[in-house]
Amino acid sequence: MALLARTVASALVIASFGCSAVMAAEPGAAASPPLIASAVTPPPDFDALRVKGLNIALPGPQDTIDPDYAGIRSSLAALGVGYIGYTNNNFFYNMLDGERTTFGRQVYNGQKPTFFTNNVMQLTYDLSRYGIPDGQIVIGGIYNFDTWAPAGPNALSVATLSYYQTFLKSWWS
């Protein structure tokens, strides 16, 4: 029974820390190959899937609310697909004691409680797998909603459709 417990404990140490930890714990023991060999896959390069060519960098996946939720980002990255979504929300309301209505109509933003949201989702596709080392295709959609019609339309549309590749890169280096 003690031999079985020691074998199980050694197997757990080997699985957790590798064979060198067992050898360090038992200096007189003979070296044996690890019982469990696992292939460690490198993490995907999320930076290569960020939107390229912007003069203001958007946050990387590590700075979002879904860095790699349920492995979705990693699974898409293995296919060469990256994404970023962001939203801009505004609420306006006149807090002054002045006139708030003009014959029952709203004539300026915030005269009555006014809400505006702008939601963007962009997908990138890495073209390096097709021989274009820094090539990228980006497609993005946008949804706008405003409670006051003159401030803008409520719409769902394509916002971005672009292709990126450096030009004359070999001439500059």
Side-chain angles (χ1 to χ4, degrees):
M1 189 66 159
L3 180 63
L4 178 63
R6 185 170 180 207
T7 305
V8 170
S10 295
L12 289 174
V13 169
I14 289 171
S16 300
F17 302 107
C19 187
S20 61
V22 173
M23 294 171 85
E26 300 177 29
S32 62
L35 299 175
I36 300 171
S38 62
V40 178
T41 57
D45 183 14
F46 293 129
D47 283 337
L49 298 172
R50 294 174 71 173
V51 178
K52 297 179 181 180
L54 298 177
N55 56 1
I56 298 174
L58 297 173
Q62 69 278 5
D63 297 324
T64 64
I65 61 171
D66 62 337
D68 196 10
Y69 180 73
I72 294 171
R73 194 179 294 270
S74 294
S75 298
L76 289 172
L79 300 172
V81 176
Y83 70 90
I84 186 165
Y86 50 93
T87 184
N88 178 16
N89 300 297
N90 294 295
F91 179 77
F92 304 97
Y93 184 58
N94 182 2
M95 299 298 289
L96 300 175
D97 288 332
E99 183 70 31
R100 290 200 173 116
T101 62
T102 308
F103 302 109
R105 294 180 14 154
Q106 182 175 354
V107 294
Y108 62 89
N109 198 8
Q111 181 179 7
K112 294 180 182 177
T114 307
F115 175 73
F116 172 76
T117 183
N118 177 321
N119 304 292
V120 177
M121 173 65 86
Q122 292 181 323
L123 297 172
T124 64
Y125 186 70
D126 181 25
L127 296 175
S128 65
R129 57 188 65 217
Y130 298 108
I132 305 169
D134 58 349
Q136 185 180 69
I137 294 175
V138 180
I139 185 166
I142 189 168
Y143 174 68
N144 291 321
F145 175 77
D146 199 322
T147 57
W148 184 48
N154 296 337
L156 175 65
S157 63
V158 173
T160 306
L161 182 57
S162 66
Y163 171 81
Y164 177 87
Q165 178 184 2
T166 55
F167 182 65
L168 302 175
K169 185 176 182 179
S170 61
W171 289 19
W172 299 106
S173 43

